[in-house]
């Protein structure tokens, strides 16, 4: 906070499905004043609430343009726009000298991601990427065990990050001109970020990927399923299912799980399995009641106030995950193993 006043935090766009959750959490924080702008409401899906109406629904102040929001003088901003618009909004924040937390993926191409990192470096502002799963107690326990040598050298990691097809809620997710890609773009980066943290200093080297859009055939112009094999400099091999394979009737949007196999031990984690499972007689359907920590809240408080022992993902790490995604698309296109560059 500057001069004892509340910290001003701007939310740029409600396009992403996480935008509302972030805005609500920010508005509930002591010492934080929130202002949102969402001028691109023409891109909303039928029945999707955006703009001023959505801001009113979640109880945050609103202005019609990004110019008005930056004139307000934010201390920090959170970018939740369509993927291809991340660069222009991050660079605008850098121009105004404002720290920025950008929704994942950082960018749709390595060139855009590198430009964003350089713009923020040159302006002396902080660039962070919204990867809340780093704050999962399950991931932190795995990281502690690996770094303590409990597992020995890590040999393989088998991971899955599945979920609903988000195009039913926000249609831009399935428009390649706005999203940059489908399930691979959407769901590779969370696991890639966890391994970037787990294998500190040992980056991804090669990627082999296969994709298809058999799931939701005819409803998406992007791939809806993907399977990646990624090799790392330390010799570890990741296999990742990043598909939008969670059915709409499932009680949860999706999840992220990993099995880490080392020379001396195997570790299993589920980042979102802090739930009570049951069955609703009224709804005649399975239910899941979550409990435990709120990963988004931990990430936001780390970004805003530096709370906790773990820092939010920085722009350089976000760029490394974008390079893995780019290599995956090239591999799927060519049928070959592709170097991560």
């Amino acid at each position: 906070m500057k001069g004892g006043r509340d910290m001003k935090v701007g939310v740029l766009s409600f396009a992403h499905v996480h935008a509302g959750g972030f805005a609500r959490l920010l508005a509930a924080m002591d010492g934080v004043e929130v202002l949102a702008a969402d001028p691109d409401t023409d891109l909303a899906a039928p029945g999707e609430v955006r703009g001023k109406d959505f801001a009113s629904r979640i109880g945050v102040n609103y202005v019609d343009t990004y110019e008005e929001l930056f004139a307000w003088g934010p201390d920090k901003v959170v970018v939740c726009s369509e993927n291809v618009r991340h660069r222009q909004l991050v660079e605008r924040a850098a121009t105004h000298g404002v720290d920025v937390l950008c929704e994942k993926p950082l960018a749709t191409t390595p060139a855009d991601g590198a430009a964003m990192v350089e713009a923020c470096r040159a302006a002396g502002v902080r660039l962070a990427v919204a990867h809340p799963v780093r704050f999962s107690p399950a991931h932190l326990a795995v990281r502690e065990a690996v770094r303590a040598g409990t597992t020995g050298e890590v040999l393989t990691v088998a991971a899955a990050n599945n979920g609903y097809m988000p195009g039913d809620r926000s249609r831009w997710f399935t428009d390649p001109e706005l999203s940059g890609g489908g399930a691979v773009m959407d769901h590779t980066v969370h696991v890639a970020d966890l391994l970037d943290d787990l294998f500190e200093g040992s980056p991804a080297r090669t990627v082999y990927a296969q994709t298809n859009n058999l799931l939701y055939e005819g409803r998406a112009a992007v791939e809806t399923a993907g399977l990646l094999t990624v090799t790392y400099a330390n010799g570890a091999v990741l296999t990742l299912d990043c598909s939008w394979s969670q059915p709409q009737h499932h009680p949860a949007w999706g999840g992220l799980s990993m099995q880490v196999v080392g020379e001396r031990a195997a570790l299993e984690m589920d980042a979102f399995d802090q739930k009570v499972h049951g069955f609703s007689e009224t709804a005649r359907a399975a239910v899941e009641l979550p409990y435990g920590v709120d990963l988004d809240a931990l990430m936001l408080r780390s970004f805003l106030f530096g709370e906790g022992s773990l820092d939010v993902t920085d722009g350089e790490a976000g760029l490394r995950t974008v390079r893995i995604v780019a290599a995956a698309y090239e591999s799927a296109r060519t049928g070959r193993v592709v170097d991560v560059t």
Side-chain angles (χ1 to χ4, degrees), residues 27-324:
M29 290 181 184
D30 291 336
V32 173
E33 185 180 353
V34 181
L35 184 65
D38 183 35
D40 302 310
T41 55
D42 57 308
L43 297 173
E48 181 184 3
V49 180
R50 291 272 299 268
K52 186 175 183 179
D53 289 342
F54 187 74
S56 177
R57 175 180 293 185
I58 63 175
V60 300
N61 293 326
Y62 182 82
V63 289
D64 292 322
T65 67
Y66 296 132
E67 289 78 9
E68 292 173 274
L69 190 145
F70 280 107
W72 174 63
D75 300 300
K76 300 177 188 290
V77 295
V78 182
V79 171
C80 296
S81 67
E82 301 83 0
N83 294 342
V84 298
R85 298 182 175 184
H86 287 179
R87 177 176 175 177
Q88 66 189 62
L89 292 178
V90 167
E91 290 181 338
R92 179 177 286 191
T95 299
H96 286 274
V98 178
D99 291 345
V100 55
L101 173 67
C102 182
E103 181 55 83
K104 61 81 188 169
L106 174 65
T108 58
T109 67
D112 279 353
M116 294 157 70
V117 170
E118 175 56 25
C120 291
R121 185 204 63 77
V125 302
R126 184 184 187 193
L127 173 59
V129 188
H131 283 297
V133 187
R134 273 201 187 196
F135 293 83
S136 163
H139 168 65
L140 295 178
V142 168
R143 186 178 71 162
E144 181 179 356
V146 169
R147 293 186 179 178
T150 303
T151 61
E153 182 180 352
V154 174
L155 305 174
T156 65
V157 178
N161 185 12
N162 304 131
Y164 301 149
M165 183 183 74
D168 288 338
R169 294 177 58 189
S170 297
R171 66 181 178 182
W172 67 264
F173 273 97
T174 55
D175 180 347
E177 296 299 317
L178 295 172
S179 65
V184 172
M185 182 68 68
D186 189 32
H187 276 175
T188 297
V189 291
H190 277 307
V191 172
D193 181 67
L194 293 186
L195 294 196
D196 191 87
D197 183 45
L198 192 66
F199 296 154
E200 53 181 353
S202 187
R205 292 301 191 203
T206 67
V207 180
Y208 177 73
Q210 292 193 358
T211 66
N212 63 52
N213 66 348
L214 298 178
L215 295 169
Y216 313 101
E217 189 173 7
R219 293 170 54 195
V222 293
E223 80 287 349
T224 54
L227 187 63
L228 279 58
T229 301
V230 185
T231 63
Y232 285 80
N234 61 3
V237 178
L238 163 70
T239 59
L240 170 62
D241 175 0
C242 56
S243 307
W244 288 335
S245 54
Q246 198 81 298
Q248 290 293 332
H249 61 266
H250 196 275
W253 65 269
L256 188 154
S257 61
M258 294 198 312
Q259 182 185 58
V260 179
V261 179
E263 292 177 307
R264 293 195 292 271
L267 307 172
E268 295 185 356
M269 65 158 277
D270 188 327
F272 298 101
D273 199 32
Q274 291 180 304
K275 307 184 188 83
V276 175
H277 300 264
F279 185 83
S280 169
E281 287 288 349
T282 302
R284 303 301 297 169
V287 295
E288 293 182 350
L289 303 177
Y291 64 91
V293 299
D294 186 323
L295 304 186
D296 289 344
L298 292 176
M299 177 189 68
L300 289 170
R301 297 198 72 87
S302 174
F303 171 65
L304 297 180
F305 308 117
E307 290 186 2
S309 59
L310 185 66
D311 202 0
V312 69
T313 301
D314 63 23
E316 290 283 0
L319 177 56
R320 288 191 291 270
T321 66
V322 170
R323 288 175 172 146
I324 293 172

